[in-house]
Amino acid sequence: MVPPTTRRNFLRAALGGAAGMALPLSALGRRAALTATPLGDNVLLIGGAGANVVAILSLDGCALVDGGAADHSADLLKLVYERAQTRRIETLFNTHWHWDHTGSNERLSKAGAKIVAHENTKLWLGAEIIVEWENRTYPPRPPQALPNQTFYTSDKMQLGQQSIEYAHVPQAHTDGDMYVFLPSQNILVVGDLLAVDRYPIVDYCTGGWIGGFIDATKALLERSDAQTRIVAGQGPVRARADLENQLTMCNAVKDRVAAMIRRGLSIEEVIAEKPTAEFDGQRGDPQLFLTLVYRGALGHIRELGGVV
Ligand SMILES: [Zn+2]
C-alpha cells in the first residue's frame, strides 16, 4: 500500500505542480459543487448534477424538473433545502427515463416528492432496458423510484402562485418525453428535446426517432417566442433560435438519410456520404447521430415514403 504522503507527492508530480502551488488536491475524488443560477422569480437552474435541474421554489413546497444523476442527489437535495424556505419537495417531473435525469428519483421520493412523468417513462423505469447503441443494460428501478402520477397527453398544476403546464411529445428523444412550461415567467424546460453545439440523441431503443424529434421541435417552437428562456438537458439557458437551428438540421438530415435508405445504403455508406457535413463544424462528430437516425428510421419506413 502506498503511504498517503507518498501518494500525495505522486499526485503533485502527476499534476505537474511545483511544491507550494495551490494544487487541486482537495478536488481529487470529490464531485464539483452544483451551481444555481436564478432564472426568474423563485426559479433556479441547477447545473453540475449530470443533467440540468430546474427548481421552482414556493412556500407551499418546491417542484423540480428533472433530478440529475444519482451520485449528485444528496448535494441536490441539500442545495434545494438551502435555497427554499421550506423542506417540502412537492413534485419531481421526469422529462424522460434516462438515468442522468431520473437518478434522484428514489432519494426525492423518500423526501416526500410525488414523481410526475408520462406513462411510458414509468414503464421504462420499471423494466430492464437494453440500449443497443450504448451496449448497456439498465436494470429495473426499485418501486420507490417509479413515477406515481402519470399522464398521457398534457396536464397542469398549481404551486403557490406558479402555474405549471406540461405535455407529452411522442416518439422523439424517447417515447416518453415531456416538456414543462411556466407561462407567467415564459420559461420552457425541455429535457433532451433540444441539443445545442452537439448532435441530439434519438434513442430508437426506447421509442425515439428523427421524425418524432422534428415534430417535438415544432411543438416546442409553437410553445415559445423570442423571449422564452429555454432550459435543455445540458448547458446554459437557450433561446427559440436554437430550436429553429435544430429543426433546420434535423429536416435536412432526415430527408438525406431517408433518400440513402431508399437507395439501399448501409449505415457505413451513409456515414461515408457525409449527409451532415455543413453542421459538423457546430455540432461535432456525427457518427452516433447518423447511426441513431438510420436505425430509428428503419422502424418508420412507411412514414418516410417507403423503400423503392
Ligand atoms: Zn436523455
Side-chain angles (χ1 to χ4, degrees), residues 223-244:
R223 208 67 175 95
S224 57
D225 58 35
Q227 280 72 48
T228 306
R229 280 161 297 161
I230 301 170
V231 177
Q234 304 291 330
V237 176
R238 309 297 189 180
R240 193 172 192 275
D242 294 313
L243 288 169
E244 289 167 346

Side-chain angles (χ1 to χ4, degrees), residues 105-285:
N105 275 19
E106 196 167 1
R107 187 181 293 270
L108 292 172
S109 174
K110 284 176 182 166
K114 74 169 177 269
I115 302 177
V116 177
H118 185 264
E119 178 67 18
N120 289 345
T121 295
K122 179 181 181 178
L123 294 174
W124 288 123
L125 288 172
E128 180 179 89
I129 307 171
I130 300 167
V131 179
E132 182 186 48
W133 57 272
E134 285 185 304
N135 194 24
R136 187 169 170 185
T137 299
Y138 293 88
R141 304 284 285 274
Q144 199 153 25
L146 301 184
N148 46 17
Q149 184 176 317
T150 59
F151 70 101
Y152 286 94
T153 53
S154 64
D155 212 336
K156 58 184 170 185
M157 62 174 281
Q158 194 73 23
L159 185 73
Q161 302 295 310
Q162 186 68 63
S163 174
I164 302 174
E165 301 175 2
Y166 50 97
H168 175 229
V169 287
Q171 294 188 300
H173 172 65
T174 69
D175 65 9
D177 302 295
M178 66 184 286
Y179 65 79
V180 177
F181 184 56
L182 308 180
S184 67
Q185 307 208 46
N186 203 2
I187 293 170
L188 181 62
V189 189
V190 303
D192 285 339
L193 293 170
L194 172 62
V196 182
D197 301 329
R198 64 190 174 91
Y199 282 102
I201 298 289
V202 281
D203 181 4
Y204 68 89
C205 295
T206 56
W209 84 292
I210 188 68
F213 201 81
I214 287 170
D215 291 342
T217 308
K218 289 176 181 169
L220 297 175
L221 281 166
E222 280 178 23
R223 208 67 175 95
S224 57
D225 58 35
Q227 280 72 48
T228 306
R229 280 161 297 161
I230 301 170
V231 177
Q234 304 291 330
V237 176
R238 309 297 189 180
R240 193 172 192 275
D242 294 313
L243 288 169
E244 289 167 346
N245 287 339
Q246 176 170 282
L247 183 62
T248 301
M249 184 277 291
C250 286
N251 273 328
V253 174
K254 178 190 166 210
D255 290 349
R256 292 168 193 171
V257 172
M260 291 174 186
I261 289 173
R262 279 194 286 274
R263 285 164 51 205
L265 267 57
S266 69
I267 179 58
E268 292 78 14
E269 289 166 334
V270 167
I271 291 169
E273 292 218 357
K274 302 186 188 309
T276 60
E278 75 263 42
F279 307 109
D280 292 350
Q282 182 201 348
R283 295 180 184 268
D285 186 344

Side-chain angles (χ1 to χ4, degrees), residues 96 98 100-101 173-174 192:
H96 60 292
H98 286 159
D100 52 340
H101 294 253
H173 172 65
T174 69
D192 285 339

Side-chain angles (χ1 to χ4, degrees), residues 87-103:
R87 288 176 77 86
R88 278 178 63 190
I89 311 282
E90 275 292 309
T91 304
L92 169 65
F93 294 97
N94 287 163
T95 60
H96 60 292
W97 74 268
H98 286 159
W99 277 32
D100 52 340
H101 294 253
T102 59

